[in-house]
Amino acid sequence: MAEYRTHMKIIGDILSTTRDDLQDEDGATVTYLIRKANISHSRISRILKTLVSQGLLEQVDTQGSNKYRISPTGREFLQAYNTFTNFADNFGLNI
């Protein structure tokens, strides 16, 4: 049976991708993030809009296309998220 990811897991995946897997220093394209996060364009568009408005991602306009990179606040959030999920995993909690 397939295991579904939570909304927080998807956000963690997007932030990790923009931190670790950048195609270049300008950021990751929406298409790249769709492939890495394995979710639809409409869903990732809503998530990216929220992450930008909350200050976790920065939206960069390069040559007429938007790219996304993690902000300093996003790095702090991702570190706290990873710490929490590692703690939960140690106790067998499925978050």
Side-chain angles (χ1 to χ4, degrees):
M1 186 169 180
E3 185 175 321
Y4 293 97
R5 294 177 294 163
T6 64
H7 189 71
M8 283 303 299
K9 174 69 174 143
I10 292 170
I11 289 172
D13 290 346
I14 292 169
L15 292 175
S16 293
T17 298
T18 59
R19 182 193 63 190
D20 301 334
D21 299 339
L22 286 182
Q23 299 154 300
D24 58 45
E25 63 275 354
D26 291 331
T29 64
V30 173
T31 303
Y32 185 75
L33 293 172
I34 287 170
R35 289 183 184 140
K36 294 295 279 187
N38 193 29
I39 59 175
S40 70
H41 185 275
S42 61
R43 186 162 184 203
I44 201 163
S45 294
R46 289 190 308 267
I47 293 170
L48 291 174
K49 183 177 179 181
T50 300
L51 293 176
V52 169
S53 71
Q54 296 299 313
L56 300 177
L57 284 182
E58 298 171 347
Q59 183 176 352
V60 181
D61 183 22
T62 57
Q63 301 171 354
S65 69
N66 290 322
K67 291 189 176 182
Y68 297 87
R69 63 181 173 217
I70 195 166
S71 69
T73 304
R75 288 180 187 278
E76 289 178 28
F77 177 89
L78 184 60
Q79 183 177 5
Y81 170 77
N82 287 335
T83 300
F84 179 74
T85 56
N86 289 337
F87 176 81
D89 288 345
N90 288 335
F91 288 97
L93 302 173
N94 187 14
I95 299 176

